[in-house]
Amino acid sequence: MKLKKILSIALCTAMLFGLAGCGDSGEAASSGASAGASTEADASGSPEGDASSSINFDEDPYTLRIFYPVGAEAQPDVEMIQEKINEIALPEINCTVDLEPVSLASIANTYALAASAQEKMDLMILFPGSVVISEFANNNMIKPIGEYVDQWGSDITRVVGERMKAGEYKGQQYTIPQNQNVRASATGFNISKTFVEKYDIDIDSIKTFEDLEALFEMIHENEPGVVCVMPEGAGGNIATNLMAYGDNLGVNGVTLKVEDDGSMKVIPATQAETLLSACQRVREWYEKGYISQDILTDTDGGAAGLRADKCFASASNSLNFVTEDEYCYAVRLRIDDELPLLSTANDQLFMWGVASSCERPDKAIQFLNLCYARGGELANLMRYGVEGVHYTVTESGGIDTSINANWQNYWFLFGDYEETHIQQHEMDLMGLDSVEEYKKVAGAWNVQMSPAYGFTFDSSAVKTQISAVSAVCEEYQVPIMCGTVDPETQIAEWESKMYAAGLQDIIDEIQTQLDEWSAAQ
C-alpha cells in the first residue's frame, strides 16, 4: 500500500472516531493505583500522591488491551508472546496484557469499529502520529497523560528524552513517541554498483553536482538504454535531493523560514531559498536526456531501476547511516555533509496513546515504563519473539531469525530500540564482527534539530483549505521538481493557485499557533 493511501486511511480513522462518540473524558475511578490510598486515582482518573508510591498488589490484576500494528501476515504465536509478557508484567506491576495485532493497512477501520462498538481500549499505536495526534486529541479519543508519566514513567522519560516533546499537543503530553533507530533520513543518491564497477568510478571523489553531472554525461553516451537519474519511487521527485533541508510543519505548501533574529516565519513552499536553483538544475538534466521523458508515468521508480540495471542513480530521500542497498546493488552518495533536519513529524511515526475510555491509565503508563525499565527484554519479545523458538543468538552476539516461521513484527514498538538485538545478516552485510561495532557505526548518525521541534499544528480550523492546497501541490510539485516543465513560470503559477485555494489562511493559522507555542517554550 502506498504511503499516501495509508495517510488517507489514518485521517479517515480520526474522523470516524469523532463520529463514534466513544471515549468519555472522565474515566471510572481507580481503586488502588498503588499501595495506600494516597496514590489511588480519583473519579476523574487523575493520579494523586508522589512517584515513590508502590504498586498495589492487593487489588485484582488489571488487563490492558493493547492495539499494535503488524504486517499482513498472520501471527500464530501471539498467545505465546503474550504469555511471556504476562510472566514479567504480573509480578512487576500487577497487570496482564491482551495483545490485539492490527494490520497496518486496516488500522483505521479497526480503531473506528472498536470505538463505535464501545469495545475495551487501553493502549493504542497512533500511525502516522504526525497526522492523527491532533484529530485524536480534539475528538477526545486519547487523553492527556502528563501526570501519569510524571508519577509512573521515569524510565520512559529517561530513554525517550527529548523525543517526549513530539508527543505534546497544545501544551500537554498526549502520547509517547516510540524511539527508533533512524530519526531523520538524509537526502542524496543511490548509485548503481554495476556501473560503478564497470567504469571504475571512485564515489568518494564525487564532491559537487558538477562531478555528478560528468558521470551522467558518461552514462548517457555509453549506456543508451540506461536512465541517468530517477526518483527513488514512482511519484517522487528529484529536486528535493538538491535542496537544503526544510521543515514543512506537517502541512503541504508551506515551509519554515528562520529570520536573522531567530524568529520563525511560515512562508509558501514555493519561496524556499534553494527551490528555484534546484529545479533549474533538474530541468537542465531533463533537457539533456539524463531524465526519462516518461518520468511522470513511470510506475516502478529508481530503486527498481537500479536492481534491473536500467538506472544509474536514484534520488533518495531516505539515506540512513547505512543501507542494505549499499552492500547489494547500490552505493550511497551524498554531495554535502549537512546534517538531516529533525522535525517534529520525524519522531511521530509510531506513538503510544492511552484511550480516553481506559479505566486504568496508571496501568497503561506503568506497562510502557516497564518496557523501558527491563532493558531490551520486552522490546525483543515483541520484535523478535522467544529465543530458541523464533531466533538463536550467534557467537558474535547477533541473532539468526531463519528459524522463525510464526512471529513477524517489522517495527520497534515496545521499549528501547538501543537495547534490542541486532540481526546477524545486517552485521554481515556491513562487514562487522560484533554488536558493539554495529552500534558504534549506527551511533555515528547525527541530526540537526528544527527550531520548531515539538510544535504540532492543529489543522481543524483550515481543513478545507489544506485539502485544496494539497490538491494544487499534487498538480504542480512533481512535474516542476522532476524537470518536465519550466520552473520559473510554473513555480509562480503553483504559488498563485495555492493562494487562490486558501494558502494565506493556512499560513496565518500556523503562524498564530507557532508564535503561541514559541512564546511558551
Side-chain angles (χ1 to χ4, degrees), residues 64 123 145 148-149 152-153 156 176 354 360-370:
L64 286 168
L123 277 169
I145 56 175
Y148 297 103
V149 173
W152 300 109
I156 294 173
I176 298 172
V354 176
R360 293 296 300 271
D362 57 323
K363 289 299 177 187
I365 300 305
Q366 287 168 19
F367 174 74
L368 292 180
N369 193 72
L370 185 64

Side-chain angles (χ1 to χ4, degrees), residues 320-338:
N320 301 327
F321 69 92
V322 68
T323 65
E324 183 173 321
D325 296 347
E326 185 173 358
Y327 297 93
C328 296
Y329 58 84
V331 293
R332 183 185 63 187
L333 171 66
R334 295 182 64 192
I335 297 298
D336 58 56
D337 295 325
E338 182 184 5

Side-chain angles (χ1 to χ4, degrees), residues 1-10 104 127-128 131 349:
M1 172 177 288
K2 293 184 178 179
L3 180 59
K4 185 191 301 182
K5 188 174 182 181
I6 292 175
L7 297 182
S8 175
I9 289 175
L104 194 68
F127 171 84
V131 174
L349 183 61

Side-chain angles (χ1 to χ4, degrees), residues 190 229-234 298 300-308 311 313-315 329:
N190 282 313
V229 59
M230 298 175 66
E232 186 171 27
D298 172 71
D300 295 323
L306 287 173
R307 291 189 184 94
C311 172
S314 167
Y329 58 84

Side-chain angles (χ1 to χ4, degrees), residues 383-433:
R383 179 74 171 88
Y384 296 115
V386 179
E387 181 178 353
V389 177
H390 303 104
Y391 68 87
T392 56
V393 179
T394 65
E395 291 183 2
S396 59
I399 62 168
D400 178 359
T401 58
S402 60
I403 64 173
N404 179 21
N406 295 317
W407 184 252
Q408 299 292 331
N409 197 342
Y410 296 107
W411 307 286
F412 297 100
L413 302 175
F414 289 78
D416 185 5
Y417 160 76
E418 297 293 338
E419 298 291 336
T420 56
H421 295 311
I422 306 300
Q423 295 206 48
Q424 184 64 45
H425 79 88
E426 293 180 0
M427 294 166 55
D428 293 341
L429 283 169
M430 296 168 66
L432 302 176
D433 297 324

Side-chain angles (χ1 to χ4, degrees), residues 43-337:
S44 66
S46 299
E48 298 174 353
D50 57 48
S52 64
S53 302
S54 59
I55 305 294
N56 181 5
F57 288 93
D58 292 330
E59 65 177 343
D60 291 336
Y62 183 77
T63 298
L64 286 168
R65 195 174 189 211
I66 302 175
F67 292 78
Y68 71 99
V70 296
E73 297 88 351
Q75 300 287 294
D77 290 345
V78 64
E79 290 187 6
M80 179 191 301
I81 304 300
Q82 182 173 289
E83 181 180 346
K84 293 292 184 181
I85 292 176
N86 288 338
E87 289 175 3
I88 298 169
L90 185 60
E92 289 283 347
I93 59 172
N94 197 28
C95 178
T96 60
V97 302
D98 175 12
L99 296 177
E100 292 291 340
V102 182
S103 171
L104 194 68
S106 62
I107 197 168
N109 289 337
T110 300
Y111 284 177
L113 289 173
S116 62
Q118 298 185 346
E119 292 183 24
K120 175 180 171 61
M121 300 177 74
D122 293 301
L123 277 169
M124 63 179 73
I125 280 284
L126 276 61
F127 171 84
S130 58
V131 174
V132 302
I133 182 174
S134 61
E135 296 283 355
F136 278 42
N138 289 343
N139 289 321
N140 195 34
M141 189 61 197
I142 56 175
K143 66 176 65 194
I145 56 175
E147 48 194 341
Y148 297 103
V149 173
D150 288 343
Q151 182 169 5
W152 300 109
S154 60
D155 290 292
I156 294 173
T157 55
R158 172 181 58 82
V159 176
V160 180
E162 65 185 1
R163 286 180 172 91
M164 292 295 288
K165 291 182 180 179
E168 294 178 0
Y169 179 66
K170 292 186 174 180
Q172 296 192 74
Q173 193 78 44
Y174 269 92
T175 64
I176 298 172
Q178 181 60 33
N179 65 323
Q180 302 286 318
N181 55 331
V182 178
R183 300 180 67 185
S185 296
T187 58
F189 297 85
N190 282 313
I191 308 295
S192 167
K193 183 175 285 188
T194 296
F195 297 114
V196 165
E197 295 174 352
K198 180 176 180 178
Y199 292 99
D200 194 23
I201 298 171
D202 179 9
I203 289 296
D204 292 336
S205 70
I206 310 303
K207 304 295 185 183
T208 67
F209 288 117
E210 288 76 15
D211 294 337
L212 183 60
E213 287 168 353
L215 294 180
F216 289 168
E217 183 177 357
M218 177 188 69
I219 296 297
H220 187 58
E221 290 179 358
N222 295 289
E223 302 286 347
V226 174
V227 178
C228 292
V229 59
M230 298 175 66
E232 186 171 27
N237 76 77
I238 298 171
T240 297
N241 300 76
L242 284 66
M243 296 174 60
Y245 294 103
D247 186 350
N248 74 350
L249 304 170
V251 181
N252 280 339
V254 306
T255 192
L256 184 67
K257 179 182 179 182
V258 180
E259 303 285 24
D260 293 339
D261 62 0
S263 62
M264 294 178 285
K265 183 179 180 181
V266 184
I267 63 173
T270 46
Q271 294 179 18
E273 186 176 0
T274 55
L275 175 66
L276 179 58
S277 60
C279 291
Q280 287 172 330
R281 186 182 290 273
V282 172
R283 175 64 173 171
E284 291 174 4
W285 293 353
Y286 181 80
E287 291 178 330
K288 289 179 179 179
Y290 300 160
I291 299 172
S292 170
Q293 298 291 306
D294 300 326
I295 187 171
L296 299 183
T297 56
D298 172 71
T299 58
D300 295 323
L306 287 173
R307 291 189 184 94
D309 291 335
K310 294 181 179 180
C311 172
F312 173 70
S314 167
S316 174
N317 297 324
S318 57
L319 292 180
N320 301 327
F321 69 92
V322 68
T323 65
E324 183 173 321
D325 296 347
E326 185 173 358
Y327 297 93
C328 296
Y329 58 84
V331 293
R332 183 185 63 187
L333 171 66
R334 295 182 64 192
I335 297 298
D336 58 56
D337 295 325

